[in-house]
């Protein structure tokens, strides 16, 4: 990191990053730790950093280093595109491999040992920082001499962070007491950074499966299986309940309504058939709803294709930034379905301001996301962070949006407006019917709040791992699990919305358009509440800028999730309502 006063490479090289890496703030730079294949190094010096308490610049540099140790900041190193992992023992004799290692650790003034200080009993002095100024690197390779191909391939890179107080620069030995940095900076301080390298032949690990050791050691795979099975059992049970209630009740309803029609002494209509003349009455704010549906369709197709490709292994962690790049490119190219769905639904709602509809579809939600993103980036620029996106990349994103996405949205809207509006199975009456007094549970708000609980219950465990991968730099590779959860989410959003929609229609409340969208999209509110809980319980974020950044990026996630889940719920409900009114006889 540029702000930390570590050793710098004299001829620093920076490989070109793809769009996903730039957006995620991944910046790769060459390091001063130089290796030659099969050449062992022992306790080799990299550089020395000296700090004088009389010098204000030195004071601020050391204070920044201490703050990094206090907040458990991590180094992330790469060799041959492989993360250099730090493996250590956890309970039950298992090993856990972390794709990063801490810069140091801290023992509090009251003697509490924090974070990585637990690995060494010598780290015990109160109000003291311990710097990991030495690393023992082990590089394992697969030799080709027995398989008739020249050279060797790197299959594993591991290290152990160590702390040594090097007293003599000219005669360095990697043993002795740890490198202590006192809490109070009163005396001159010299920090000498060193490393050792060993090479081991490991022919039982194939180059194609060299990532496996990182993935196998991740401690949460078992939790994943348990959570998936748990989710699946709950969802299957609920699906069965919902299907049974709806199919049996509906079947009886339809049979009863059609029987009443055929009998001469037709009784008065009741239940959901009563509102047949109003159920397809266009909603208020139909413009906004149609725009949301267009954007939601775009996000749904993008998510589906991205997750499907990730499942097939095209977007593995080895392809850095591939997932984000794929998602952004797909989103840009999927302007046509957004324009088409929005225009077709707006025409179905009997809207006439088609120009406004097209412009809002192309600009409203992407505009909100871009504005949020731009403000976040402005904060990063002001703070001088390396994660700030260069101005050129922002211009490129704007060019993709206005040069590709917007014209494609216009094309989709053109075809959408050319189509006939969606035909409803029943005619709408001239005069709106009065809605009777509703009980507490059939009022809009309680139904909407209840509707989001079920889908959120299926995804919250996955959400924990996704947030970990974004904010705690842990690897996310379980796209098979995620795709399964995605399918479960679709089913639960649809079922919860359809069930609540049916109850509201039975209570003779025909305002279902917006309610069906908001019932499932309320899951996004629970997502936001969970993100707030995660922020306070799991993250050690201090400072206003960092907090604004966390919640700024969270709001983008929440908006995308709101549109996606709402669209699923709406179309499930639309299909359901069209279906039930098409099978009853209406005079």
């Amino acid at each position: 990191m540029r702000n930390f006063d570590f050793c710098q490479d004299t001829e620093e090289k920076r490989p070109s990053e793809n769009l996903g890496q730039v957006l995620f703030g991944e910046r790769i730079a060459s390091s001063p730790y130089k290796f030659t294949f099969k050449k062992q190094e022992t306790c080799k010096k990299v550089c020395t950093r000296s700090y004088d308490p009389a010098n204000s610049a030195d004071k601020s540099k050391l204070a920044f280093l201490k703050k990094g140790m206090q907040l458990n900041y991590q180094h992330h190193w790469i060799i041959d595109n492989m993360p250099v992992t730090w493996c250590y023992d956890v309970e039950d004799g298992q090993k856990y491999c972390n794709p990063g290692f801490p810069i140091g650790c801290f023992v509090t003034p009251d003697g509490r040992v924090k974070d990585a200080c637990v690995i060494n009993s010598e780290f015990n002095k109160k109000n003291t920082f311990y710097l990991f100024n030495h690393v023992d690197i082990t590089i394992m390779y697969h030799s080709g001499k027995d398989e008739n191909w020249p050279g060797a391939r790197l299959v594993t890179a591991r290290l152990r962070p160590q702390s040594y107080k090097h007293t003599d620069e000219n005669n360095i030995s990697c043993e002795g007491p740890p490198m202590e940095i006192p809490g109070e900076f009163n005396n001159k301080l010299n920090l000498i950074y060193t490393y050792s390298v060993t090479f081991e032949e490991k022919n039982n690990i194939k180059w194609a499966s060299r990532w496996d050791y990182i993935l196998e050691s991740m401690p949460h795979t078992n939790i994943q299986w348990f959570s998936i099975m748990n989710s699946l059992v709950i969802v299957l049970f609920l699906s069965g309940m919902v299907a049974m209630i709806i199919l049996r009740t509906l079947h009886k309803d339809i049979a009863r309504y059609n029987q009443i029609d055929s009998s001469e002494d037709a009784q008065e209509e009741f239940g959901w058939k009563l509102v047949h003349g109003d159920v397809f009455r266009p909603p208020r704010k139909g413009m906004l709803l149609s725009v949301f549906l267009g954007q939601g369709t775009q996000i749904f197709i993008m998510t589906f294709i991205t997750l499907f490709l990730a499942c097939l292994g095209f977007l593995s962690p080895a392809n850095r930034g591939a997932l984000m790049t794929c998602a952004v490119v797909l989103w840009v190219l999927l302007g046509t379905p957004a324009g088409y769905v929005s225009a077709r639904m707006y025409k179905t709602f009997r809207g006439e301001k088609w120009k406004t509809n097209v412009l809002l579809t192309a600009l409203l939600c992407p505009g909100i996301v871009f504005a949020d993103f731009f403000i976040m980036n402005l904060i990063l620029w002001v703070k001088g962070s390396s994660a700030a996106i260069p101005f050129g990349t922002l211009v490129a994103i704007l060019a993709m949006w206005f040069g590709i996405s917007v014209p494609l949205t216009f094309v989709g809207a053109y075809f959408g407006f050319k189509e006939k509006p969606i035909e409803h199975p029943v005619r709408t009456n001239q005069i709106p019917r009065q809605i009777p007094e509703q009980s507490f549970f059939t009022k809009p708000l309680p139904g909407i709040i209840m509707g989001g609980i079920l889908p959120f219950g299926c995804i919250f465990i996955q959400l924990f791992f996704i947030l970990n991968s974004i904010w705690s730099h842990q690897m996310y590779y379980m796209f098979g699990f995620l795709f399964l959860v995605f399918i479960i989410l679709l089913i639960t959003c649809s079922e919860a919305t359809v069930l609540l929609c049916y109850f509201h229609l039975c209570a003779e409340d025909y305002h279902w358009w917006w309610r069906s969208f908001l019932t499932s999209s309320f899951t996004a509110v629970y997502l936001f509440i969970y993100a707030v809980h995660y922020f306070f319980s799991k993250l050690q974020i201090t400072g206003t800028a960092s907090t604004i950044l966390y919640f700024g990026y969270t709001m983008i996630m929440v908006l995308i999730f709101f549109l996606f889940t709402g669209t699923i719920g709406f179309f499930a409900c639309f299909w359901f309502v069209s279906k039930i009114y098409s099978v009853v006889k209406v005079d």
Side-chain angles (χ1 to χ4, degrees):
M1 271 199 174
R2 181 61 72 198
N3 292 341
F4 285 108
D5 191 30
F6 295 130
C7 305
Q8 299 288 339
D9 191 6
T10 47
E11 299 171 12
E12 191 180 90
K13 298 185 188 78
R14 285 186 172 271
S16 58
E17 285 109 2
N18 59 36
L19 182 64
Q21 285 174 292
V22 172
L23 292 177
F24 262 133
E26 284 185 25
R27 303 288 180 274
I28 299 170
S30 59
S31 101
Y33 294 78
K34 306 293 181 190
F35 317 140
T36 307
F37 185 57
K38 286 192 183 177
K39 186 186 175 188
Q40 315 277 7
E41 298 282 5
T42 308
C43 212
K44 188 173 181 182
K45 182 185 156 191
V46 185
C47 74
T48 306
R49 291 283 185 259
S50 301
Y51 301 94
D52 187 346
N55 186 325
S56 60
D58 285 358
K59 260 182 137 171
S60 67
K61 281 178 186 174
L62 194 65
F64 193 72
L65 191 62
K66 285 178 180 176
K67 191 182 178 186
M69 286 189 257
Q70 221 166 348
L71 295 173
N72 197 27
Y73 271 49
Q74 308 258 325
H75 287 284
H76 289 275
W77 290 5
I78 302 164
I79 297 176
D80 188 34
N81 200 35
M82 282 285 289
V84 182
T85 54
W86 171 38
C87 296
Y88 52 91
D89 293 319
V90 286
E91 66 270 8
D92 304 332
Q94 286 187 309
K95 259 192 165 14
Y96 174 55
C97 292
N98 194 22
F101 67 96
I103 61 177
C105 63
F106 176 52
V107 178
T108 61
D110 58 355
R112 274 190 307 118
V113 176
K114 288 189 73 182
D115 303 316
C117 278
V118 296
I119 64 170
N120 193 333
S121 57
E122 290 182 346
F123 300 165
N124 53 23
K125 198 179 279 186
K126 291 181 180 180
N127 195 25
T128 303
F129 294 87
Y130 292 92
L131 177 75
F132 292 131
N133 59 337
H134 174 86
V135 284
D136 290 324
I137 302 165
T138 306
I139 294 174
M140 297 176 188
Y141 61 91
H142 184 111
S143 175
K145 66 174 185 283
D146 298 334
E147 297 170 24
N148 298 325
W149 50 271
R153 286 171 173 167
L154 186 149
V155 288
T156 306
R158 286 182 180 164
L159 62 69
R160 277 182 67 81
Q162 307 279 9
S163 183
Y164 295 122
K165 187 170 186 176
H166 304 299
T167 45
D168 184 0
E169 262 193 81
N170 302 316
N171 186 21
I172 295 171
S173 70
C174 290
E175 50 194 32
M179 183 66 234
E180 296 171 359
I181 303 174
E184 301 296 323
F185 179 38
N186 300 320
N187 303 316
K188 284 189 177 180
L189 189 69
N190 280 345
L191 300 179
I192 300 168
Y193 291 89
T194 56
Y195 70 98
S196 301
V197 169
T198 54
F199 287 87
E200 289 178 20
E201 192 171 318
K202 200 93 169 175
N203 289 342
N204 61 331
I205 302 174
K206 293 275 189 288
W207 189 81
S209 56
R210 63 184 190 151
W211 283 74
D212 291 2
Y213 79 98
I214 304 172
L215 310 185
E216 281 163 10
S217 69
M218 292 280 186
H220 43 244
T221 318
N222 295 339
I223 302 167
Q224 286 282 8
W225 276 115
F226 176 74
S227 75
I228 285 286
M229 293 313 294
N230 192 24
S231 248
L232 215 51
V233 167
I234 292 167
V235 169
L236 288 172
F237 175 70
L238 287 166
S239 300
M241 290 285 285
V242 170
M244 195 170 74
I245 291 166
I246 287 180
L247 290 175
R248 284 189 64 179
T249 316
L250 267 178
H251 190 71
K252 280 182 182 172
D253 283 353
I254 291 162
R256 193 166 66 236
Y257 291 151
N258 289 341
Q259 200 177 350
I260 288 165
D261 281 355
S262 58
S263 63
E264 287 174 16
D265 52 338
Q267 300 164 31
E268 193 185 337
E269 290 176 351
F270 57 91
W272 52 266
K273 194 186 174 187
L274 260 178
V275 294
H276 69 80
D278 298 275
V279 76
F280 291 109
R281 191 175 299 285
R284 298 189 196 98
K285 305 265 188 303
M287 168 80 82
L288 189 61
L289 182 57
S290 62
V291 168
F292 280 176
L293 292 170
Q295 288 292 331
T297 308
Q298 187 175 8
I299 291 162
F300 165 66
I301 301 169
M302 174 198 85
T303 313
F304 183 82
I305 297 173
T306 306
L307 284 180
F308 186 69
L309 290 175
C311 265
L312 298 177
F314 292 117
L315 309 174
S316 75
N319 301 340
R320 291 172 198 286
L323 189 78
M324 192 69 173
T325 308
C326 176
V328 171
V329 169
L330 279 171
W331 181 85
V332 166
L333 296 175
L334 288 166
T336 310
Y340 178 82
V341 169
S342 179
R344 189 94 195 271
M345 290 313 298
Y346 186 59
K347 197 171 181 182
T348 304
F349 297 154
R350 300 179 200 159
E352 288 169 3
K353 297 177 183 171
W354 62 271
K355 288 177 186 170
T356 315
N357 173 262
V358 177
L359 286 170
L360 281 176
T361 307
L363 305 175
L364 179 67
C365 298
I368 294 168
V369 171
F370 186 80
D372 186 326
F373 203 70
F374 185 75
I375 293 163
M376 297 303 106
N377 209 44
L378 220 54
I379 294 167
L380 288 170
W381 267 337
V382 170
K383 287 281 177 186
S385 169
S386 63
I389 293 163
F391 183 72
T393 309
L394 282 176
V395 171
I397 292 168
L398 278 172
M400 285 168 74
W401 177 19
F402 285 103
I404 304 170
S405 183
V406 172
L408 285 174
T409 309
F410 287 3
V411 170
Y414 169 75
F415 286 110
F417 280 118
K418 271 186 76 177
E419 293 272 346
K420 288 178 184 172
I422 298 165
E423 281 186 29
H424 302 311
V426 285
R427 282 197 305 276
T428 302
N429 294 340
Q430 293 291 319
I431 302 159
R433 178 189 175 81
Q434 195 175 354
I435 296 169
E437 183 69 33
Q438 297 292 309
S439 70
F440 174 76
F441 288 108
T442 52
K443 282 180 178 163
L445 199 60
I448 287 168
I449 291 169
M450 283 190 297
I453 294 171
L454 196 66
F456 180 74
C458 298
I459 61 157
F460 82 98
I461 293 177
Q462 281 297 326
L463 197 59
F464 171 74
F465 294 118
I466 291 167
L467 290 176
N468 261 359
S469 75
I470 296 171
W471 300 109
S472 301
H473 289 288
Q474 291 188 7
M475 281 193 185
Y476 193 87
Y477 57 91
M478 291 167 283
F479 295 110
F481 285 125
L482 192 59
F483 193 68
L484 196 58
V485 168
F486 174 77
I487 302 299
I488 290 169
L489 180 66
L490 295 188
I491 296 165
T492 39
C493 278
S494 308
E495 286 176 350
T497 312
V498 164
L499 192 61
L500 287 160
C501 180
Y502 174 71
F503 291 147
H504 289 124
L505 289 175
C506 285
E508 297 173 30
D509 183 352
Y510 51 83
H511 293 311
W512 64 272
W513 300 98
W514 267 108
R515 193 187 288 140
S516 65
F517 184 88
L518 293 171
T519 299
S520 53
S521 67
F522 203 79
T523 313
V525 175
Y526 292 115
L527 178 113
F528 179 71
I529 294 165
Y530 185 80
V532 173
H533 161 73
Y534 181 85
F535 177 81
F536 287 111
S537 66
K538 294 284 186 291
L539 297 178
Q540 296 175 305
I541 290 180
T542 55
T544 317
S546 301
T547 307
I548 293 169
L549 283 170
Y550 176 84
F551 285 105
Y553 287 126
T554 300
M555 289 316 291
I556 294 175
M557 279 172 62
V558 167
L559 174 67
I560 289 169
F561 202 73
F562 170 81
L563 294 169
F564 161 68
T565 48
T567 303
I568 300 302
F570 176 88
F571 282 115
C573 200
F574 188 41
W575 172 83
F576 170 74
V577 172
S578 301
K579 205 80 181 154
I580 63 170
Y581 284 99
S582 65
V583 291
V584 291
K585 295 174 190 169
V586 176
D587 298 330

